[in-house]
Amino acid sequence: MVNKRVPDWLNSSMWQSPPPASTTTAAPPPPPPPIKPPSPPSKPPSVSSSDGSGNEAREAREPAGSVQKTEVRDPLLSSSGGNEYDADPVEDVSRQVQLSQELSKKIINMGELQRLASLGIPDGAGIRSTVWKLLLAYLPRDKALWSSELAKKRSQYKNFKDDLLKNPSEVTREMEESTSSQNGDETREGKGLLSRSEIPVDEHPLSLGKTSVWNQFFQDTEIIEQIDRDVKRTHPDMHFFSGDSASAKANQDALKNILIIYAKLNPGIRYVQGMNEILAPLYYVFKNDPNEDFVINAEADTFFCFVELLSGIRDNFCKQLDNSVVGIRSTISRMSQLLKEHDEELWRHLELTTKVNPQFYAFRWITLLLTQEFNFADILHIWDTLLSDPEGPQETLLRVCCAMLILVRRRLLAGDFTANLKLLQSYPSTNIGHLLYVANKLRSHSHS
Amino acid sequence: MAAYRADDDYDYLFKLVLIGDSGVGKSNLLSRFAKNEFNLESKSTIGVEFATRSIRVDDKIVKAQIWDTAGQERYRAITSAYYRGAVGALLVYDTSRHVTFENVERWLKELRDHTDQNIVIMLVGNKADLRHLRAVPTEEAKAYAEKENTYFMETSALEALNVETAFTEVLTQIYHVVSRKALDAGNDPSALPKGQTINVGSKDDVSAVKKTTCCSA
């Protein structure tokens, strides 16, 4: 029984199987190619160190004697084959050329960049790292301004680190130093006496005063422990983020620094579980840039891009806004409405017949920008599209969520509460190019 | 044979919730019980996650529908919606982090504010394998559980210690409450019409007694 509100295009066989590769390939699609080497200069274990493609720079950075980490399980390499729609090498190469051309202009045309990037950024050549920084308005359109802008931001970040990441003993010692130098009291040392710290009562560790730096410190400790726990379990299946290697530890430290600084600069929201998942793709992409300058400054660059990205979605993290029109509940309802608009039969079955409240699955989908639903390579691909939306990621995200439901509609229509909830809580791996295609299709229909 | 019974072939369906501070091991308790799996570093739970498993109590098949919730305070307002219809709860703390035990009181209040008063609660001290790091003495927790009138057990999801027992105990206790209620009402629970709801969890829409339509698969 087909609901009469379902438009024809929805019942097209296209929804159930990937569409023809693209309009440009008349010939049958070539067999799925091995996905091109990703931007991180990772190598199979047997290959020796220098292959001349920017790897030397990276090698040079590594402390002597350290073993270059072999990212055997690099997600970009483990991307499933058979994605003729999005992994078409002809498409990829031509898009890479187009993006490179756009990036070579003195002043970048953002509209064009957004259009190209929304189709997916090829994984090679470090293009994604630069494009994402542009999409998040961290890099200005005018390339002549890049170096001054980067220098300014990076020094600002260094100041944040200096000011916000030191412990209270350092703060009180500095307070004391500045007082003693003001008094011109620099003769003590000469007398051979050990100086005794004059700690103001308010700044004593055992002081109960609310303004004490120690009081603040103890409050922060709870948040820092939470951040610590969550950073350790961010993509625990990836060597880049997890494990005992020096590089994984350094990457974890960078994520921690960013989250702590964000929490301290934003006392209204602080740290909310899940922010780590939003941060991870940004840091991964920037840290794997072929340009060494970007690698060294990945932490600072990531911080500002994280702030920018979060500014568009932070209401989802804010408990106080849960019941407001901008809060997570209302965002989930909008997704549900979108589904109802496009596929009322499925909507009815999910929400009325099997009583699967969209909160049960879409809360995580939306809050985490789908970062726990797909493998890492697929997440990056989805994010190319999310970040390309000039209005911010949310509207595109809702269409992608809706498309995820539509792509498994047959299974959902046959499922009961338990089967459907299990399916949606561990969404099957899918052809991302196709998913994004369907999501985009919802855009053109949503106002008809 | 039980192994061949269809997934939805059960006599009782009980909804359980797993609650407690972030990082105490709720998700691993669930994956140990539902799938016999354990991850040393598992992703943090955002919102809720869901799993089911059926066990046999007396001669009945009891299907547990277990909801694993996010631990951080921010998510509490959202997750409390998931308590609806729950007839059992495992309130988990970490035996190696005393603060997670101190917060048990807040979680209990949360439960009592949002669920039926007959809900079966078990206080669960997880990570009992971290013997050298123990911060909450067994006796302290046991005394607290007695005072609050909840069941109590120490578990280790890592070593698969007491996990099975903890869930089974809670499900069995719920089963007893339900069958006692049915008897009080003069009903044989197995004689109830298919899908009729037993009022153990108040306005419960999940926990139900279902008459098995077919004896074996």
Side-chain angles (χ1 to χ4, degrees), chain A residues 263-371:
Chain A
K264 291 195 176 186
L265 291 176
N266 295 274
I269 187 161
R270 305 229 285 169
Y271 168 75
V272 178
Q273 285 194 293
M275 286 181 177
N276 56 320
E277 306 279 359
I278 303 286
L279 177 60
L282 295 174
Y283 182 70
Y284 178 89
V285 167
F286 297 166
K287 189 73 182 172
N288 286 301
D289 197 301
N291 177 333
E292 199 192 354
D293 181 52
F294 281 112
V295 174
I296 291 170
N297 291 290
E299 184 181 322
D301 296 348
T302 305
F303 173 79
F304 291 100
C305 290
F306 175 69
V307 170
E308 173 62 27
L309 176 57
L310 218 52
S311 73
I313 56 169
R314 58 180 277 169
D315 292 349
N316 292 337
F317 286 98
C318 189
K319 188 172 78 168
Q320 288 75 19
L321 295 175
D322 277 350
N323 296 317
S324 77
V325 292
V326 293
I328 182 71
R329 284 207 176 102
S330 129
T331 309
I332 292 172
S333 313
R334 284 198 291 132
M335 187 211 71
S336 168
Q337 281 307 305
L338 194 62
L339 179 67
K340 189 179 178 190
E341 207 175 296
H342 289 286
D343 191 346
E344 190 170 345
E345 184 190 10
L346 179 57
W347 174 84
R348 192 172 291 280
H349 180 78
L350 267 181
E351 296 197 20
L352 304 183
T353 311
T354 62
K355 296 203 164 53
V356 176
N357 181 335
Q359 256 196 50
F360 297 163
Y361 57 91
F363 186 90
R364 188 177 75 197
W365 290 8
I366 292 171
T367 311
L368 301 185
L369 299 182
L370 298 172
T371 50

Side-chain angles (χ1 to χ4, degrees), chain B residues 170-189:
Chain B
V170 169
L171 291 168
T172 306
Q173 291 303 332
I174 298 168
Y175 169 77
H176 288 325
V177 172
V178 170
S179 34
R180 201 181 313 129
K181 278 209 169 188
L183 285 176
D184 289 351
N187 284 322
D188 174 3

Side-chain angles (χ1 to χ4, degrees), chain A residues 130-306:
Chain A
T130 308
V131 172
W132 280 17
K133 290 185 183 96
L134 281 157
L135 293 174
L136 289 163
Y138 179 57
L139 285 175
R141 292 177 54 217
D142 183 350
K143 281 168 79 177
L145 302 174
W146 282 14
S147 63
S148 62
E149 187 63 22
L150 287 173
K152 196 177 83 191
K153 293 288 195 199
R154 289 163 179 176
S155 114
Q156 196 181 347
Y157 184 72
K158 188 183 172 300
N159 291 338
F160 286 149
K161 275 179 94 163
D162 290 346
D163 292 346
L164 300 172
L165 294 184
K166 58 191 168 190
N167 74 41
S169 332
E170 292 173 66
V171 177
T172 42
R173 192 179 323 123
E174 276 170 25
M175 285 168 75
E176 185 204 333
E177 275 166 13
S178 67
T179 339
S180 60
S181 62
Q182 272 166 17
N183 297 344
D185 183 12
E186 288 164 62
T187 49
R188 248 191 273 163
E189 247 178 299
K191 292 179 187 167
L193 292 171
L194 283 174
S195 67
R196 187 188 161 95
S197 297
E198 290 287 333
I199 298 174
V201 176
D202 283 347
E203 303 301 351
H204 192 276
L206 298 180
S207 154
L208 297 173
K210 286 269 185 287
T211 58
S212 140
V213 287
W214 281 97
N215 184 297
Q216 188 59 45
F217 174 72
F218 292 132
Q219 272 185 25
D220 291 344
T221 303
E222 193 188 326
I223 280 289
I224 290 170
E225 282 174 1
Q226 180 71 60
I227 289 173
D228 199 42
R229 270 197 300 278
D230 289 344
V231 162
K232 275 190 195 137
R233 42 188 185 159
T234 305
H235 296 287
D237 50 339
M238 287 175 64
H239 293 313
F240 180 85
F241 292 111
S242 186
D244 295 324
S245 71
S247 62
K249 293 278 178 223
N251 291 334
Q252 288 185 0
D253 284 343
L255 298 184
K256 257 184 263 177
N257 291 342
I258 294 170
L259 291 169
I260 293 170
I261 292 172
Y262 183 87
K264 291 195 176 186
L265 291 176
N266 295 274
I269 187 161
R270 305 229 285 169
Y271 168 75
V272 178
Q273 285 194 293
M275 286 181 177
N276 56 320
E277 306 279 359
I278 303 286
L279 177 60
L282 295 174
Y283 182 70
Y284 178 89
V285 167
F286 297 166
K287 189 73 182 172
N288 286 301
D289 197 301
N291 177 333
E292 199 192 354
D293 181 52
F294 281 112
V295 174
I296 291 170
N297 291 290
E299 184 181 322
D301 296 348
T302 305
F303 173 79
F304 291 100
C305 290
F306 175 69

Side-chain angles (χ1 to χ4, degrees), chain A residues 226 229-230 233 236 271-273 316-317 319 322 329 359-360 363-364 368 372 417-418 421-422 425, chain B residues 22-23 41-44 46-50 52 63 65 67 71-75 77-78 82 97:
Chain A
Q226 180 71 60
R229 270 197 300 278
D230 289 344
R233 42 188 185 159
Y271 168 75
V272 178
Q273 285 194 293
N316 292 337
F317 286 98
K319 188 172 78 168
D322 277 350
R329 284 207 176 102
Q359 256 196 50
F360 297 163
F363 186 90
R364 188 177 75 197
L368 301 185
Q372 278 190 4
F417 174 85
T418 303
L421 193 48
K422 282 183 177 170
Q425 287 201 344
Chain B
S22 154
E41 299 291 356
S42 56
K43 293 178 182 175
S44 49
I46 304 299
V48 286
E49 284 174 36
F50 172 87
T52 55
K63 181 171 176 177
Q65 186 190 77
W67 295 70
Q72 199 186 19
E73 210 275 336
R74 179 264 174 275
Y75 291 109
I78 295 278
Y82 307 130
R97 278 166 57 216

